Every structure is written in structure tokens, then in C-alpha cells.
Amino acid sequence: MGILEVKNVNKRFGGLQALGNVNLSVQENTVHAIIGPNGAGKSTLLNCLVGKLIPDTGSVMFDGQSVLGRKPHEINQMGISRVFQTPEIFGDLTVMENVLIPCFARRDGAFRMHAFESVQHEKSLNEQAEEILVDMNMIEKRDMHAASLSRGDKRRLEMAMCLVQQPRLLLLDEPTAGMARADTNNTIELLKEIKEKRDITMAIIEHDMHVVFSLAERITVLAQGTPLVEDTPENIKGHPKVQEAYLGQAH
Amino acid sequence: MLGLNRKDTTLLIVVFLLTMLAPFLLNPFPADSAMAQFNAGYPDLMQRFVIFGIFAVGFNILFGLTGYLSFGHAAFLGVGSYAAVWMFKLFTFNVVPAIAAAVVVAGLFSVLIGYVSLRRSGIYFSILTLAFAQMSFALAYSVLSNPKFNLTNGETGLQVYADDPQIFAVAGSPNLPHLFGLSMRSTYTMDVGAWSFDFNAGYYLCAVIMLVVFYLSVRLFRSPFGMMLRAIKSNQQRLNYTGLNSRPYTLAAFVISGMYAGLAGGLLAAMDPLAGAERMQWTASGEVVLMTILGGAGTLIGPVLGAGFIKYFENIFSKINDNVLHSWFAFLPDGMEDFMVTIIHPFVGKGWHLTLGLLFMLVVIFLPGGLVEGGQRIARLFKRNTTQTPGNDPEHHPKPSPHVAE
């Protein structure tokens, strides 16, 4: 049993079968990549995992519990954190506050009316937040406005916000989309670093082969809404079906 | 002090001194001089300054902090007034139960409206609140004022009559709103030479209440709850994907600001035991939006400044008529005098809205952060060489934050 089990998931948008009978199993402490050409249904699948979309049929189980029909914040509270295609951070807040918010969310749950305490007085949460900023090499930027960070730093900050929650599953939605080669390599290094430092399960949605083959331990190839194969990177590279559906055209 | 950092404590002390010394500060001109009409230190206007300050501070929690632009906050103000006057009618002229009832009733009312309106954000939220407020106005103006069930007394406005029960009225207490016997209208006038200063009981009650709720709003701004509200304004999607449910946060902010509005309405009634439907009209809702933006949305002191600014204009500029203008320009030759009066005439008296509109445009275009930003810019001019913040890299200028959550 993997930590995330997707079984027979179907999703239609009008006449378009976005997902057809998707089965997927993500094992704990592995980096699992889901690849596929544009329109293969990668984002639809991801949105089904985080509660943005509800599949027509099938089940999505996380750690033995169904995530279907739950709201994004409930799914996050179950232990799934998500990194977006373009970094989603709190631009008007400082870097430190950006990291503090997930700390509060983890300790206090989805809502707590703490309107009379002071943020500074939460010693242990402030320490947690500082720790992750040190870890991500961002501590000297703690008082900067998040919106004024460079794009790479925004990505780092978003990762820090997800990691400080100690998620059981980290979902990454095309973390290198639209990046220059150098930025892509930086992101790969960042993800490798994260993986080495902590036991973490990651599911990466990606269409850049370079990223996938440098990070993933398992790969699922999606084409036209259906999984073609699931295997190790070595086997995927040589797989004839994959060559035909994806690699042959793309590169 | 009081759980605040040094900067906030200083701000609080400054606000404390300004409100306590307002009777002096607002009456800088001798009572008989030509400039006396610019004096704002009379009880009625001073009360309005602080009451609308409370209204705007509360509105700022929802708009400035959370990014939800409500166009219906006057409904809560009106409901608070009605609740307070009903307390006068039924029980006693003591203002304490009246103000408490105003806050509670407005709070309940805002739970109802907020629960429905907050299902949408952005412009749709604004429209929903506007619709609710206009419905409340219609209810107060006509529907709830018929011979069988007269809750609001329609056009005339709700007021206290001699045959009202007032079951807890204490014999010998003033026949006007009072605080345990101290009439809200009692005023001590101090004459110093040509100057005259009014110390009004009602004003000081409002001022103390404003200081308390201002302090509460400072605490709220600095609290984790306030941080979450700013996060909602900044990026609601990220907040949801960080495991926080934005719905109760926005509802709490809405209800708190509704209670502030109710408090302001209750105080208005406590100063003058009359509640009219026009208090709930959309122009009144728009006014508090203007106050907050003019002063500086999302800042602590901005809304109070904005409220004071607008109320000053409303009451002082509107009093300048042609006679006053003629007396100002009497030193000019006749033709010039008439010319100047003709030019200025549309901007004063009944035309004060025109001046306000122009000022509002200037502030929004040149000082998007409101009067507070103006103050900060002036302060920066004085210590320019000492402040070189590291965030001044032109490549990475954060875009100014939008007023409304997306």
C-alpha cells in the first residue's frame, strides 16, 4: 500500500475525457514523477488530489482516508502540501510571516481566533520558522517583503512554507515551468537537497524530462488521460511505448 | 506597554493626547475672530470626529486588513442606532445598556449578512453588501414602520416620547441620555482671554471608548489573527492550501467590523437620542469607504485621520457662504471681489462635496497610501540621508498591494 492510492479515477469535461481510469500508487519516502505531454491530464489529476476538482468516478485515498469531497485546507491538514507552477506566496507579508503562517496552521488547525496575542510572543513557532529559513538559506531575508524577492527566492520560500509543515506528501506542480535552464538546474539542486536532508514523499507533475530523470525514483507516464506505464527512470527511458507517445515527438 | 511594541505605544499615546486635548487643539482661533468659523471644537462636531473614527477603524479591519470592500457598512451603524434608541424607549436613558445593545444587535445582524455575502469575494461581495444595506434601508424607511408594527418610525426617525415605558428609569435622572446621572449634553465652557473651550461629557465618553477600541484594533493588527487577515488579502488561495480555512477568518473580521459600526451607531444615538433611516443609506456606506481610503487603508491611524478630515469638511466648509466670502475678499476692488467670490462659490457651502471630491482624487492619484503616506513622505524628507533601505533594488519593486482581495 502506498501513502497515496489513486484508483480508477475518471474525469470528463463535457465531451473531453480528461482522465480515463487512472491508477497510481505513491510509496512513502520516494520521489514519484508523473509525466506526459501537454494535455495528458497531469494538472487535472493533481487538482483531483488537492480537492480543487472532484473526479466523476474512482477513489483517491491518502493514508487510508479518502480525500474526495474535502476542501483544500482539510486536505492540507491531512498532510498534503502543494507547490504551485508559479510560486504562490503572501506577497504583502514579510518572509518571516510567510513561514510563520504554516507554523500556526500546523499547530492550531484550520481556524483559531487568537486576536489578542502577539505574533512575537509565540516563541516556539518563531524558532521553527527561523530554523526552516536557516535551512533554506533565507534567514538574512527574513524581514523583506515576499513580493520583492527574486523568482528563485520566491520558489525557495514557497518550498520553505510547505516543508515547515512537515508534510507527509509534497505535491509539486511543474516546479520548473517557464524557467530558464539555469533556474531549472537550481530548482533541481534545491529539490535534491531537500530530499537528502529529510525523509519526504514527493509527487512531481512535470513535462521537462531533464528534471524528471534527475530527481524521480518512480515515474508514471500519462498520455491522453491514461497511464501508459509506471516504472523506474532507467526502464522508462528505454520503453518503446513511451518513446512513441512522448519522447519521440518531444525531443 | 500594554503588550505593544514601542512604535505602537507611541502611536497610542499620541492618539490619547490628541483626543484628550481635542477641545484645545480644535479651537485655535479666538471666539470672535474672523477665523472662528474654522474652529471645530464644539461638542457636536468633536463627538462626530471620534464616533466616525470608531466606524472607520472598524471598517478598516475588514477593508484595509482583509481586503473585502463592503459597501453596506452603514446598515450596521443604523441598526446600532435603532437598538440604542429602543433601549432608551423601553428601559432607561442610561447609555451603558444602550451602547451594549447596539454592539450586540449589530454583531448578530452582521453574522447574518456576512455569512451570505462572504460566499463571494471582490466586486461581487461589494455588490452583495450594497444590496443588503439598501434592503435594510428600505425596511427601516417604510416596511418596518406601519401602524401595526412600528419598529423604526419610518421617515420621522425613531425617538423617545414621554409615554414610552422606560421601566428602569431612575427618578431624578436627566430626561436625556446620561451616564449614571451625568448628562451627555453637559458641557463645561472654559474662557481663556478671547478663546473659549468646550468640555463636553458626551465627547469624553466617546473619546474614551474610541481609545479602548483603537487599542483593541492595534492588538488585533499585531496578532496572529491579524496576520491571517493580511494573508487573506494577499493570497487567499495560498492560505487555503496552507491548511487554513479562510471562511471563518473573513466572517470574524466582518462581524468585528460590524460591531465597531454598531458601537458607532449606538454612540450617535447616545449623543442625540434619534435614529433615522438615512443613516443606513448607501451614501453613508460610501462615506466610510472614502474616510478609510483618504486616511490610508490598512494603516492603524489612517481611518481616524480620514474620518476627522471628512467630518471637518462636511461641517466647516459647508458653513462658508457668500457673505463670508465677501468679507474675506473685501480688501480687493469690487470687480475683483465679485470675481473671486464667483470662482470660489461652487467649492464651499453646499458645494463642499466638490472640494472633497477634488481632494479625494488628488490623494488617490498622488498618495495611494492616503494621508498616512503623505505624513510618511514628509517624515522621510527630514531624514533622507539616514534611510537607505536594502529593499530599494529597482529590479524588485513589489507592486503596490491591491485594496481588494482577488
Side-chain angles (χ1 to χ4, degrees), chain A residues 66-176:
Chain A
S66 174
V67 304
L68 298 184
R70 290 182 200 253
K71 301 232 169 65
H73 67 89
E74 292 168 330
I75 292 174
N76 178 278
Q77 291 283 354
M78 290 168 76
I80 301 181
S81 288
R82 173 183 185 176
V83 171
F84 286 80
Q85 231 176 65
T86 42
E88 291 280 350
I89 51 174
F90 304 114
D92 302 334
L93 275 58
T94 66
V95 168
M96 185 67 180
E97 287 172 325
N98 267 273
V99 188
L100 270 169
I101 286 175
C103 295
F104 275 104
R106 184 156 169 262
R107 193 193 66 182
D108 298 337
F111 174 69
R112 194 180 141 198
M113 185 79 196
H114 27 30
F116 212 65
E117 296 98 324
S118 165
V119 177
Q120 272 76 40
H121 292 162
E122 303 281 1
K123 285 275 179 313
S124 68
L125 294 188
N126 276 284
E127 277 163 22
Q128 267 178 41
E130 271 168 13
E131 211 171 286
I132 193 81
L133 287 179
V134 171
D135 232 34
M136 301 293 275
N137 274 330
M138 293 196 74
I139 190 71
E140 72 279 8
K141 295 179 178 131
R142 55 172 288 169
D143 293 323
M144 276 172 77
H145 263 241
S148 61
L149 294 174
S150 70
R151 187 172 166 146
D153 277 343
K154 281 183 186 160
R155 174 62 78 206
R156 281 186 105 75
L157 176 60
E158 194 187 25
M159 295 274 188
M161 291 163 70
C162 289
L163 291 175
V164 81
Q165 295 191 302
Q166 307 189 341
R168 307 203 37 215
L169 172 65
L170 181 61
L171 292 174
L172 299 109
D173 184 8
E174 308 215 15
T176 63

Side-chain angles (χ1 to χ4, degrees), chain A residues 1-9 22-27 45 48-50 55 57-70 75 78 80 168-169 171:
Chain A
M1 270 299 270
I3 188 163
L4 182 74
E5 291 282 340
V6 179
K7 287 231 168 69
N8 303 321
V9 163
V22 174
N23 286 289
L24 180 75
S25 171
V26 176
Q27 303 298 319
L45 178 59
C48 288
L49 303 184
V50 294
T57 59
S59 71
V60 178
M61 304 291 277
F62 176 71
D63 197 26
Q65 283 178 295
S66 174
V67 304
L68 298 184
R70 290 182 200 253
I75 292 174
M78 290 168 76
I80 301 181
R168 307 203 37 215
L169 172 65
L171 292 174

Side-chain angles (χ1 to χ4, degrees), chain A residues 31-43 45-46 83-85 155 159 171-179 181 184 187-188 191 203-216 218-222 246-247 251:
Chain A
V31 178
H32 195 125
I34 297 149
I35 63 170
N38 286 332
K42 302 185 300 284
S43 298
L45 178 59
L46 186 100
V83 171
F84 286 80
Q85 231 176 65
R155 174 62 78 206
M159 295 274 188
L171 292 174
L172 299 109
D173 184 8
E174 308 215 15
T176 63
M179 277 190 185
R181 184 48 67 179
T184 304
T187 308
I188 293 172
L191 289 171
I204 305 181
I205 308 276
E206 185 57 76
H207 69 266
D208 187 329
M209 286 296 154
H210 176 59
V211 178
V212 171
F213 287 118
S214 12
L215 284 170
R218 292 291 292 181
I219 296 178
T220 302
V221 182
L222 218 56
Y246 188 0
L247 298 178
H251 294 276

Side-chain angles (χ1 to χ4, degrees), chain A residues 94 97 100 104 114-122 126, chain B residues 1-12 60-61 65 214-230 298-301 376:
Chain A
T94 66
E97 287 172 325
L100 270 169
F104 275 104
H114 27 30
F116 212 65
E117 296 98 324
S118 165
V119 177
Q120 272 76 40
H121 292 162
E122 303 281 1
N126 276 284
Chain B
M1 195 180 79
L2 296 167
L4 299 178
N5 64 26
R6 254 182 72 196
K7 215 174 126 200
D8 293 337
T9 311
T10 319
L11 180 69
L12 199 66
N60 190 37
I61 291 171
L65 211 55
F214 182 70
Y215 167 70
L216 290 180
S217 97
V218 176
R219 286 298 292 260
L220 192 141
F221 264 62
R222 303 294 180 230
S223 72
F225 178 73
M227 185 168 76
M228 300 306 175
L229 296 185
R230 283 188 293 135
T299 61
L300 284 167
I301 191 68
Q376 284 167 347

